[in-house]
Amino acid sequence: MAKVLVVTSGKGGVGKTTSTAALGAALAQRGEKVVVVDFDVGLRNLDLVMGAERRVVFDLINVVQGVAKLSQALIRDKRLENLWLLPASQTRDKDALTDEGVGTIIEELRTKFDWILCDSPAGIERGATLAMRYADEAVIITNPEVSSVRDSDRIIGMLDSKTVKAEKGEQVKKHVLITRYDTARAARGEMLTIEDILEILATPLLGIIPESQDVLRASNVGSPVTLNNAGSAPARAYTDAARRLMGETITMLVPVERKGLMNRLLGRRAA
Amino acid sequence: MSARLLRFFGGGRTVPPPASAPVARERLQILLAHERSSRGQPDLLVLLRDEILAVVSRHVTLDPDKVIVKMDRGETVSTLEVDIELPNGFERMIAAAG
Amino acid sequence: MIMGATAEPVRQQVRLRGRSYVAFVFCPVVPIVGWLEEIDATLARSPGFFVGKPVVLDLSAVELSQSAIAHLVTSLEGRNIRVLGIEGVEPAHVTASMPPLLTGGRHCVIQQDKPEKPAAKPKPTSLLLDSPVRSGQSIIFADGDVTVLGSVSSGAEIVAGGSIHIYGTLRGRAMAGVNGNPAARIYCQKIEAELLAIDGYYQTAEQIDASVRNGPAQAWLEGDVMKITPLN
């Protein structure tokens, strides 16, 4: 059974696109057939993070408008043959993305893929509402920071009312993925705690991704972090999250500061 | 004895990964050069595809679904790849028509 | 993908077909004014009953001039009754701007589906929400109490005619007793509210005393002063 999963947050800049790429690659590495779809209208990001920016020919709106077929717009990843990308349009016309058009494309994608990851734009306007409209599951990306948590809460409310599933009286299965978890600030008690976030959002936790230079490096070279540096802390956390999405039970690891042995001996904190 | 101890503590530094910023800069330069030059123009690729297909269709009946267009934009050279699946026996069709 | 020549538009032939319908027949009697009053009484009992239904005027029982017929049609239109056709008059009396003259109508019985009176449901006096109220959501229930099994997020609001009971943390806005009910109260397991109001008297977050935070609390009105006290 194909699963449509929306990666959303409300707030911008919290790690939706990075997470979509990382989770998509992690699922594909485990043998699943995955397509990642960029739902932004006018600003294209997922192709850049996936490293496919030079190969974009047709996009989501071209397919909605019938200018191109789905098979002509899908771009296969060069590193993982099970991983595909449907890029966003650079058009300024917000109305070009229609409910019926998206619905038809999602139905067609369901016949070809195991996982359809929809990368939502920030905000609560058309791109965001259409990205979630046909979702079976949702990953709500949240930073440990008050406005991100409040926006995530808003989005959770919308997942329970503005989706096809909600309109049918069914539940979209929701998960919170905490990203940009800064271990040093957590140690100093300067950050919202994980317990606080979960208590406020009342939604199960999918994983905790530590803030890390590896994410920036991966996006610089155009490779999802789970591919570019699979052994790094964020990559391992994303892989665990992907495995949980596939139904595995894995102990949740809270990222901790990794002090160098010397510094630990001297009681000094890592920078 | 103390030298070995120091090596135990301070040795075995991992090799830092190659700097990724120059890669990012190069990717952006190529990408933005293409995006700036194509801004405001009707989609060239769509036009190219339709015209190429029109030309081929004059000689043989085509299934529009069996056409894949691929693009790779480079720094100095870009490649346009048009993949057309032709029905078997198309040479005979063209010969008969000609 | 558009290719090849454009096709000639196919010319559609206009086809005339016959069909019969069942219509309501109104048989006005004199005095017309009295008859219209009867129509009004019927409409008062079942407003909109004739809206969208085909109505035919049978004028055989009355002698109406052309202008009287026109006036009658207009009077009915003013009552949202659109006349489909007229029967029982001389063709000379009917103008082109009036509904068409009909003949050959056959009598039939109309199935009266009486608009069902919904079994008078007892009006609910309390609203139960069994999941948290999320930021941006607004719950408005003027008819009584609201109970929430869960927290009320910052950026959410509950507006109730009666009391508000929150089995969770109140981080948003709660406004109770909105229809002039000063006895209404607000109860919650933890108070971090942005705003509390009872019967129009309100307190904002800064005014809520630190001593009542972080534990179960209730808010109530004493005169025109809102009191917030721990619930223990």
Side-chain angles (χ1 to χ4, degrees):
Chain A
M1 251 323 277
K3 280 214 190 129
V4 177
L5 185 143
V6 61
V7 180
T8 183
S9 66
K11 189 138 204 301
V14 296
K16 289 180 291 304
T17 303
T18 303
S19 301
T20 307
L23 288 171
L27 287 166
Q29 278 169 320
R30 301 191 82 73
E32 304 287 288
K33 207 164 169 221
V34 182
V35 61
V36 295
V37 184
D38 193 348
F39 269 83
D40 216 315
V41 183
L43 297 174
R44 204 182 259 165
N45 289 305
L46 191 51
D47 60 320
L48 209 42
V49 167
M50 297 284 294
E53 73 278 5
R54 287 159 45 164
R55 296 186 288 137
V56 175
V57 176
F58 297 114
D59 56 56
L60 179 59
I61 285 181
N62 288 148
V63 181
V64 165
Q65 292 172 331
V67 166
K69 295 266 180 234
L70 192 53
S71 55
Q72 296 169 332
L74 287 170
I75 300 177
R76 191 172 216 167
D77 190 84
K78 286 191 168 157
R79 303 151 295 215
L80 285 172
E81 60 172 17
N82 289 359
L83 182 58
W84 298 72
L85 161 70
L86 181 54
S89 170
Q90 300 270 59
T91 180
R92 262 158 288 156
D93 180 8
K94 288 191 298 290
D95 300 322
L97 199 62
T98 64
D99 193 330
E100 303 73 36
V102 169
T104 310
I105 292 173
I106 297 275
E107 278 317 297
E108 199 182 334
L109 288 171
R110 277 187 197 271
T111 64
K112 298 178 198 273
F113 292 95
D114 300 320
W115 289 89
I116 299 139
L117 302 191
C118 302
D119 182 16
S120 174
I124 49 174
E125 298 309 313
R126 194 192 220 105
T129 53
L130 280 178
M132 66 166 66
R133 183 115 182 95
Y134 297 94
D136 304 314
E137 290 192 41
V139 175
I140 299 117
I141 308 290
T142 310
N143 288 167
E145 180 270 315
V146 291
S147 52
S148 172
V149 172
R150 184 204 276 212
D151 287 2
S152 287
D153 192 68
R154 184 92 156 85
I155 282 289
I156 291 172
M158 288 175 67
L159 284 163
D160 285 337
S161 59
K162 297 226 185 310
T163 53
V164 168
K165 264 205 137 86
E167 285 169 9
K168 288 200 285 199
E170 294 163 26
Q171 277 261 337
V172 171
K173 191 169 178 204
K174 299 182 280 297
H175 320 261
V176 165
L177 183 65
I178 296 178
T179 54
R180 313 196 67 171
Y181 182 83
D182 187 326
T183 52
R185 288 176 60 211
R188 292 196 293 270
E190 280 172 12
M191 228 171 46
L192 267 180
T193 66
I194 295 172
E195 292 72 26
D196 285 343
I197 298 171
L198 295 178
E199 199 244 308
I200 293 172
L201 295 180
T203 301
L205 183 63
L206 184 71
I208 308 164
I209 317 290
E211 177 81 276
S212 163
Q213 298 298 330
D214 302 290
V215 168
L216 180 60
R217 265 184 232 119
S219 116
N220 275 350
V221 303
S223 174
V225 69
T226 38
L227 261 185
N228 192 52
N229 192 346
S232 65
R236 282 181 283 122
Y238 273 121
T239 304
D240 282 357
R243 289 169 68 187
R244 288 184 192 107
L245 282 176
M246 287 171 69
E248 284 183 55
T249 309
I250 305 175
T251 323
M252 187 73 63
L253 291 172
V254 179
V256 286
E257 244 183 297
R258 287 168 55 200
K259 299 180 185 173
L261 180 57
M262 198 61 164
N263 288 333
R264 230 181 294 171
L265 281 179
L266 299 174
R268 254 190 294 172
R269 202 170 267 135
Chain B
M1 184 63 186
S2 55
R4 245 180 284 152
L5 215 66
L6 277 171
R7 247 201 308 276
F8 178 73
F9 279 124
R13 202 179 290 114
T14 47
V15 178
S20 56
V23 179
R25 185 174 56 236
E26 194 192 314
R27 287 174 66 215
L28 274 173
Q29 280 168 341
I30 297 173
L31 179 63
L32 292 179
H34 284 283
E35 286 189 346
R36 283 174 193 148
S37 65
S38 68
R39 225 163 267 171
Q41 285 172 353
D43 204 334
L44 180 62
L45 285 173
V46 180
L47 281 173
L48 271 177
R49 178 198 62 175
D50 290 350
E51 288 186 21
I52 291 172
L53 279 167
V55 164
V56 178
S57 300
R58 286 210 288 270
H59 304 281
V60 77
T61 321
L62 274 187
D63 179 355
D65 290 356
K66 302 277 197 241
V67 179
I68 310 282
V69 179
K70 295 206 195 112
M71 178 72 136
D72 198 334
R73 296 172 182 84
E75 195 174 358
T76 48
V77 151
S78 296
T79 323
L80 173 68
E81 193 183 306
V82 181
D83 235 293
I84 305 179
E85 203 177 281
L86 294 171
N88 273 337
F90 74 92
E91 293 107 325
R92 269 183 282 121
M93 273 189 247
I94 296 179
Chain C
M1 255 277 332
I2 303 136
M3 294 240 297
T6 47
E8 273 271 347
V10 175
R11 302 213 27 210
Q12 301 275 19
Q13 301 231 313
V14 174
R15 295 177 53 165
L16 292 173
R17 293 193 273 201
R19 202 163 281 186
S20 66
Y21 298 90
V22 170
F24 283 101
V25 179
F26 282 11
C27 304
V29 293
V30 286
I32 296 290
V33 170
W35 181 80
L36 281 171
E37 276 172 20
E38 280 298 328
I39 296 285
D40 285 333
T42 310
L43 286 174
R45 281 194 302 274
S46 334
F49 181 65
F50 295 112
V51 172
K53 298 222 170 50
V55 166
V56 166
L57 270 185
D58 179 355
L59 299 177
S60 49
V62 292
E63 284 280 326
L64 292 181
S65 66
Q66 203 177 73
S67 57
I69 296 174
H71 183 75
L72 178 56
V73 170
T74 311
S75 308
L76 288 172
E77 254 158 39
R79 290 164 169 78
N80 274 323
I81 297 169
R82 304 232 296 282
V83 178
L84 172 70
I86 301 180
E87 61 174 32
V89 286
E90 296 292 297
H93 284 40
V94 181
T95 65
S97 58
M98 291 187 206
L101 190 58
L102 299 175
T103 54
R106 276 176 296 145
H107 178 75
C108 72
V109 177
I110 290 200
Q111 299 288 33
Q112 285 269 38
D113 28 2
K114 280 213 165 65
E116 268 161 25
K117 270 215 187 93
K121 277 197 281 237
K123 256 180 122 184
T125 54
S126 93
L127 176 67
L128 172 65
L129 300 163
D130 61 3
S131 58
V133 182
R134 304 275 177 190
S135 178
Q137 292 177 336
S138 185
I139 310 289
I140 301 177
F141 186 71
D143 296 328
D145 288 10
V146 174
T147 305
V148 183
L149 299 179
S151 294
V152 176
S153 295
S154 158
E157 73 177 5
I158 315 259
V159 178
S163 294
I164 299 176
H165 314 255
I166 298 170
Y167 292 97
T169 305
L170 172 60
R171 297 189 178 91
R173 295 149 56 112
M175 305 192 292
V178 293
N179 286 330
N181 181 1
R185 295 193 179 204
I186 301 172
Y187 310 88
C188 56
Q189 285 182 337
K190 198 162 161 208
I191 192 159
E192 291 176 17
E194 286 166 341
L195 181 130
L196 294 170
I198 299 177
D199 190 22
Y201 295 97
Y202 68 92
Q203 275 207 20
T204 58
E206 308 127 335
Q207 298 162 306
I208 297 174
D209 196 73
S211 61
V212 290
R213 294 184 194 268
N214 301 316
Q218 63 167 325
W220 46 286
L221 270 190
E222 191 171 82
D224 57 4
V225 174
M226 185 184 297
K227 298 239 183 247
I228 305 176
T229 52
L231 255 181
N232 272 316

